[in-house]
Structures are given as structure tokens and as C-alpha cells.
Amino acid sequence: MRPDILNPLFQSLTALPGLGPKLAPKVARLIGPAGETAREAAVLDVLFHIPSYLIDRSREAMIATAPEGAIVTLRVRVDRHKATPPGTRAPYRVFVHDESGEMALTYFRAEKGWMEKLYPVGETVLISGKIEWFNGAPQMNHPDHVVPEAEAHKLPRMEPVYPMTEGVTSRLLMKLADAALARLPALPEWLDPAHKAREGWSDFATVLHHLHKPESNAEFADDSPSLARLAYDELLASQLALALVRKSLKTVLQRQNRPTGTIAAKLRAALPFALTGSQEAAIADVLADLAAPNRMIRLIQGDVGSGKTMVALFAAAACVEAGGQAAIMAPTELLARQHAQSIGAIADKAGLRVALLTGSDKGKGRRETLECIASGEVDIVVGTHALFQQSVDFANLTLAVVDEQHRFGVHQRLALTGKGQKTDLLVMTATPIPRTLMLAYFGDMDVSRLTEKPAGRKPIVTVTVSADRLGSIVDRIRLAVAQEGAKAYWVCPLVEESEVSDLAAAEERFQDLRQFFGDDVALVHGRMKPAEKDAAMARFKSGEAHVLVATTVIEVGVDVPDATIMVIEHAERFGLAQLHQLRGRVGRGAKASSCVLLFKGPLGETAKARLNVMRETEDGFRIAEEDLKLRGGGELLGIRQSGMPGFRFVRPEHHGALMETARDDASLILTRDPNLASDRGQALRILLYLFGRDEAIRLIRAG
């Protein structure tokens, strides 16, 4: 149960004055909680939607000397109105003057009566907005604020500017913030007093007041103490939740059976290649964990193409040999099917029974798969999030493998491990992650790193090419297909955060390329039915189609070893981590491969730096570090696209040191007060609710 003191903060947005049923959904979409939390947007989200910067309107200027392009406040007298002539699109103009000269105030689509009321002729008014010069004369388009001289006090002298969306103005957000601040209860302090004093931080309520009613832009600077305090609060909530999850999972297991290694030997005999040294080391780590009395919680961190799936298969084999079942959960259906195919062929030779379960399975086939899982006839189940639905029962689930784990929330991982009484957890990510982000997203998990690529793989030559030369790239691919039977991916740009626009771009390019390649080109995107997607992939794999046009649905896990060309259109629109993932779809066989980054100039500094890094290195860990420097950690793991709750206040590039402190603080707290029962413990429970980590409180109750 949420503490009563928090009720005013978790009220619906419509509890705030001036926010009716029409406007509330727009505000909710802008400020609402991200990721796995299912709650509606609330008053708390208004407080957490902080301004980006501050406009200082405190200094008055004169018309003639006001700097062009600057926001200024002027005290002017209204001279005359020049209304829009009927039937034209000319702007409505109001002419004003002060001691230094005259200027025009310009409005488009203005209503005459309203304008005359706002600017009475002969009256003095205060206006604030941006001065521009047009044909040698100053003008101001749509002033931000207009008040009569007698009401000068109503003009905001320091105006915070909030991130906005269509129909939601900064002015409305200021009003909502005022109302939300008035509802903020006096909360107990959850920070260690000595630490708080050492950092010079104010209390939680004061910090929110400082940010919503700032006195200078210093409040929003990288080293702002107010932002640091909120970032630390958020990190502490996150680290506490991770520590509680880890503690609940790290239970002592009575392991009845131990693997003998018989199935592992059969797997090795079935493999058409030798495992790398780091794969062998990771498998040894996993086997040591499975022999230990504590439940395994291990992260396999390997770059694109380093062979994580094989490690997962050997882990599953060990669990099956000890009398259990294994589940491998992938974030997309395409990747789940891919895993089932690649694992299935080798597993079958070792006598392991593999089944696939996804959300699109229906009817009799699904029922039969569920019955086989429940009866123990299936050893390894590969699937999507469908694996942790209530209808799925396992005979004896002893290992849960979660692939691309940052795409699943904490409660989804708990739901999967909760399918068995003694379930070990192995998580995998292909995104190399800097240490600071490792701590933030995974806590103190045991980590095995895969640092080598399988033997025989050649480096990928990466080039950047202007989009003007698109025709020559098509010609080169045609030549490579004709002479060598080459296969090429063509990835279409992320036009905006919309599957529809992605789809339009992919379909348009597909039609364009058909003019050159005819039926030798296939199309894959996220909105296709699984059977259509499988059919297109099968054509590409078999060589019936040599060019595959795709959206970023192929970013993770798609494995066609003889594909050697990757074209990424509008590469400047992608983040480094995503470019690296996409490039990793080629270079998976023994042939030399190339990656063409098509860009449209002129490039900004960040885009230029990003493309340079891609040209210079294939080292995923270096790429991750550069990505962190270039754009911070917010998108590095693809958090916003994938539904993991991102941080609201934490910027890993600025708050990296706070992560270490928060982790140590959380560890010390739980050592001293494992049930959060002390006064500080009770305050920390409030913190967990504030930052949407209350799932962890259920773990305390569950013991």
C-alpha cells in the first residue's frame, strides 16, 4: 500500500485547476511516466517535468538599441492598428513607439476586436518577445507577453521554459507546476544527513521549488546541485530496487542433481566450429554458478556476433542434464524464431527437445506446445514475453535466459524466474556498456564478457558516402550480386519515432530497388505478419533474393552468415549503438564485408563525430564510451524505444560518480536495515514509490 502522505502527488492530472478532459490527455502524453510502470500520469509527473532553461525578462530595453534576435521587454505606447485587408493573407500590424523610435507588432490570423482590446490606442503597454529587423525596420512577431502598464507586476520577470508539445504551452505548464508545488507534502528526508551536508544539497521540496521557480540558468547547468540531488534520489531508488531484486533472487538452493557433461560433449561434437576462449571462460563461469549453493544471476556481455547464444545453449544443456528445463526469452518474435532455428539444429543432435512459443501462436498448435512444456516433454523453450503469461506452466523451470535484457523490466524478469521454484537467471546483452551504465541498469550482477569474435571472421570495411551518390551504390551492389552472388541489407531511415513513417520509407525504397533488381529484392518490417516475415527472410537466406530492404527490425539477432554488404540510409539519424548493432549483421562469415553509411549533408558536429567513430573502429566498448560522451546515457541502450523506464534526471555523463555512491549507500542501508523498518527505511520506501520502483517493496513483504 502506498503511504497516505503521497496521495496528493498520485492524484489524477484533472485534479489540477485549468486541466479539463480535453487537455489532460495531451499533457499526460508529454509528461507521463515512461516504461514498464502502468500507472496514469499524476500530479507527481508535473513536478518531475522540469524546465529546460530560463528566459530573463527583467531588464527593459529601448526599441532602437534592442539587440536583434534577443528576447527583450519594452515599455511602448500604442499608435495605430493596421488590420488585415479582407481576402488577403497579410498580417495584422500594431504600430507602437517609445522615446527611441517606432516599430510594428505583427500577428498572423488575428481577430480585430481582440487586438483592439489587447492594444488600446493611446495606452502604454509592456511587451516581451524577440526583436527582428525586416527591411531596415524593427518588428516583433507575436509578442510572448502583453500587459497594460498598470499591471506590469503580472509580466513574469523570470520565465522557465518547459519541454512542450502541440496544444500544451509553457505558460500552461507553469500554472500546473504552481498548483502541483502547492500540493507537495512535507516528506521525511531519506538521504544520509552527513552525505547531504557534504554535497551542499537542499531538501527534496526546496529543490523542486528551485527548478520550477528558478532565479538563474545555473539551476539547469550540468553541475547544478538541484539536478544532482534529484539524480542521486533517482539513482538511490534504482540501486535499492536492484539490490532488493538481487537479494530476493540470490536465495540458497538445494541443488539435487549435478550435470555430468554428457550433453555438453554431444553439443561440442555437433558444432561445426570451435568455441572461442572467452566463450569457454563464460561457460566455465556459468557451470561454476550452477554448482554453487546460491542462485545464479549472471550477465553475459558480448559484442555483436561474439557468440552469446552458444553460451546460453551450454547453460541450458547443463540445467536439462540436472533434471530441469530452460527458457530463453528474446525481445522480438523475429529474434525468438532465429534463436529457435539456430539452437534447434545443434540441440537436436545432442538429444535436446526445443519448442518455440510466441504471442502470435494460436489455437491447437499453441495448446499442444503448452501441454508439452507443462509435462516436461520440452527441454528448452524459446520465446518472447509470451513465456511469462499466466497460461504458461513449466514442469521444472531451473534456468531463465533473458536476451537483450535491457528491453525487459524488472517485474518481467521476476515473472519469468517466478515460473520455477529454483530458477537461475542468465541475462545477455549485445550492447557493450560503460561501467557507469552497467551499475545503473544492472546493479552488481556477476559479469562474463565475450571479447573475441569466432575464428575466421574478417574486419568490416566501413565507408561514409553522401546520399547524392546513391545511384553509384546501387550499381556496385548490382555488380557484386552479378559477379559474386553477394547479399546486401538495405536499412531505411528512422524518419521519426513512428513505425508508420519507418514503414513508408522502407516500402518506397523497396519499390525503387525493384526497378533495378526485380524479384531479387525482399522486404521486412515490424508490421508484417510472422509468416510473411519468415518467408521474406527465408528468400534472403536461401539466395532467392539477394537484397533485403528492412527497417531497424533487423537490428538484433538476424543471422545470415553470407550477407556481406550493409547499406544504412540516412545514417546521421541513428545513434552510435544502433549503427554498431546494424553493422554487426554483416561480417558473420569468412568473406570480407563492407558497411556503407549513406548520409545527407550538411552534417552537424555530433553526426560528423558519430560517423567518424564508426569508420575508425569496430570495438563495441569504445563505441559505447564515445556514444556516452556524444549524447549521454539516456538513449544508449535504446531505452525509450524499447520500454525500459529511463531515468528522468540522471545524465550518466555528468552523474557517473553518483552512481558508485548510490550503489554503496543502497548496499549499506540493506545490510543495516534489510526490511527498511527504521525511520530512514520508512523514508526510503517513500522514495521507491516516488520513482516508480515500488515493485521492490513487494519483495520486502514477500521476505
Side-chain angles (χ1 to χ4, degrees), residues 184-393:
L184 184 58
L187 298 173
E189 182 56 79
W190 45 76
L191 294 188
D192 173 65
H195 180 218
K196 182 185 166 195
R198 195 165 55 246
E199 296 289 348
W201 288 337
S202 302
D203 60 53
F204 183 71
T206 305
V207 160
L208 288 172
H209 274 90
H210 283 165
L211 288 166
H212 287 287
K213 295 186 173 299
E215 293 184 2
S216 79
N217 269 310
E219 289 291 356
F220 309 109
D222 293 341
D223 58 354
S224 157
S226 296
L227 285 176
R229 155 83 210 228
L230 290 181
Y232 188 77
D233 288 339
E234 190 168 30
L235 283 167
L236 184 56
S238 174
Q239 291 300 317
L240 259 180
L242 283 168
L244 284 162
V245 168
R246 185 178 173 80
K247 185 181 155 203
S248 77
L249 292 176
K250 269 284 185 187
T251 49
V252 175
L253 305 179
Q254 298 298 316
R255 298 186 188 272
Q256 303 296 327
N257 303 309
R258 299 286 167 89
T260 60
T262 309
I263 297 178
K266 288 179 182 175
L267 283 178
R268 285 176 196 280
L271 285 177
F273 50 81
L275 296 172
T276 66
S278 52
Q279 278 178 311
E280 293 284 15
I283 291 167
D285 289 342
V286 168
L287 293 177
D289 287 348
L290 295 176
N294 287 341
R295 177 181 272 176
M296 172 175 75
I297 309 173
R298 181 167 290 278
L299 174 70
I300 303 292
Q301 188 184 3
D303 204 351
V304 178
S306 58
K308 296 177 298 299
T309 313
M310 278 302 113
V311 177
L313 180 56
F314 275 85
C319 287
V320 171
E321 205 170 54
Q325 289 170 298
I328 300 176
M329 182 164 71
T332 66
E333 194 161 310
L334 190 67
L335 185 51
R337 289 176 182 279
Q338 179 99 22
H339 279 336
Q341 268 184 337
S342 60
I343 287 172
I346 299 165
D348 190 47
K349 291 177 183 174
L352 292 168
R353 298 162 297 180
V354 178
L356 175 70
L357 185 69
T358 70
S360 62
D361 296 341
K362 299 283 184 288
K364 187 184 174 188
R366 181 182 175 82
R367 277 198 308 277
E368 286 175 356
T369 303
L370 290 175
E371 284 167 13
C372 290
I373 295 168
S375 67
E377 287 174 55
V378 167
D379 299 315
I380 302 170
V381 188
V382 182
T384 55
H385 57 278
L387 288 179
F388 52 76
Q389 290 172 355
Q390 280 186 336
S391 58
V392 184
D393 288 317

Side-chain angles (χ1 to χ4, degrees), residues 33-94:
E36 67 184 67
T37 176
R39 71 170 176 82
E40 292 177 7
V43 172
L44 175 68
D45 298 302
V46 174
L47 293 175
F48 280 176
H49 187 74
I50 57 173
S52 305
Y53 61 95
L54 180 69
I55 296 174
D56 183 351
R57 302 185 191 274
S58 60
R59 268 187 244 154
E60 290 185 27
M62 303 296 283
I63 290 172
T65 55
E68 184 174 5
I71 289 173
V72 294
T73 299
L74 306 170
R75 194 177 295 260
V76 296
R77 192 173 178 82
V78 181
D79 295 331
R80 67 189 190 282
H81 288 242
K82 186 180 179 183
T84 303
T88 72
R89 291 187 175 183
Y92 190 112
R93 287 193 169 89
V94 181

Side-chain angles (χ1 to χ4, degrees), residues 371-525:
E371 284 167 13
C372 290
I373 295 168
S375 67
E377 287 174 55
V378 167
D379 299 315
I380 302 170
V381 188
V382 182
T384 55
H385 57 278
L387 288 179
F388 52 76
Q389 290 172 355
Q390 280 186 336
S391 58
V392 184
D393 288 317
F394 289 82
N396 182 22
L397 181 66
T398 58
L399 174 68
V401 180
V402 183
D403 194 10
E404 289 301 317
Q405 95 95 36
H406 59 268
R407 300 189 176 214
F408 298 100
V410 165
H411 77 270
Q412 290 173 317
R413 299 205 302 275
L414 284 175
L416 185 57
T417 54
K419 292 283 182 186
Q421 293 181 325
K422 303 169 182 176
T423 312
D424 290 296
L425 180 63
L426 184 68
V427 295
M428 309 193 293
T429 179
T431 307
I433 309 163
R435 175 164 168 71
T436 47
L437 292 187
M438 280 286 297
L439 288 175
Y441 295 113
F442 301 98
D444 265 346
M445 294 184 102
D446 299 315
V447 180
S448 297
R449 273 187 169 189
L450 301 184
T451 53
E452 306 158 75
K453 285 196 178 180
R457 293 201 179 173
K458 293 181 179 169
I460 302 165
V461 176
T462 303
V463 294
T464 50
V465 177
S466 169
D468 306 339
R469 291 173 52 206
L470 189 140
S472 68
I473 298 300
V474 173
D475 289 341
R476 286 190 188 184
I477 293 174
R478 284 169 75 187
L479 195 64
V481 169
Q483 291 182 350
E484 307 156 27
K487 289 184 187 175
Y489 292 101
W490 191 297
V491 178
C492 285
L494 185 70
V495 181
E496 52 191 87
E497 290 284 333
S498 153
E499 246 187 278
V500 179
S501 57
D502 269 9
L503 183 52
E507 287 187 330
E508 194 179 322
R509 182 59 64 217
F510 173 64
Q511 294 302 338
D512 288 346
L513 293 176
R514 284 195 71 172
Q515 295 174 32
F516 300 99
F517 295 96
D519 290 338
D520 205 14
V521 58
L523 173 67
V524 169
H525 58 72

Side-chain angles (χ1 to χ4, degrees), residues 528-602:
M528 290 167 81
K529 289 175 181 165
E532 293 173 333
K533 228 183 284 184
D534 288 347
M537 284 303 302
R539 287 187 63 220
F540 185 56
K541 272 190 159 181
S542 68
E544 196 184 323
H546 285 85
V547 180
L548 181 71
V549 178
T551 57
T552 53
V553 71
I554 64 148
E555 179 191 341
V556 286
V558 173
D559 189 14
V560 181
D562 58 345
T564 55
I565 302 168
M566 168 63 71
V567 179
I568 304 173
E569 207 171 329
H570 279 294
E572 77 279 2
R573 293 180 183 172
F574 294 93
L576 258 178
Q578 201 171 28
L579 287 172
H580 180 57
Q581 286 276 9
L582 288 166
R583 177 171 61 184
R585 298 305 106 215
V586 294
R588 301 172 82 85
K591 288 184 183 175
S593 296
S594 56
C595 175
V596 180
L597 304 175
L598 279 175
F599 67 88
K600 188 170 184 184

Side-chain angles (χ1 to χ4, degrees), residues 618-695:
E618 276 189 74
D619 180 346
F621 292 97
R622 189 192 150 198
I623 284 170
E625 296 286 357
E626 292 295 333
D627 208 9
L628 185 61
K629 282 182 208 162
L630 285 173
R631 60 179 178 147
E635 297 291 342
L636 184 56
L637 295 176
I639 296 155
R640 294 201 169 82
Q641 299 96 308
S642 61
M644 176 178 168
F647 288 119
R648 290 183 188 244
F649 303 111
V650 178
R651 301 174 193 167
E653 67 275 31
H654 302 306
H655 302 135
L658 296 180
M659 290 188 189
E660 301 266 4
T661 313
R663 183 197 54 171
D664 294 343
D665 198 1
S667 175
L668 187 61
I669 288 160
L670 292 179
T671 302
R672 292 174 174 171
D673 183 14
N675 296 317
L676 299 183
S678 66
D679 288 348
R680 188 183 176 199
Q682 294 296 327
L684 285 162
R685 286 173 178 242
I686 287 172
L687 174 71
L688 290 169
Y689 277 104
L690 286 172
F691 285 97
R693 303 298 200 272
D694 39 300
E695 183 76 24

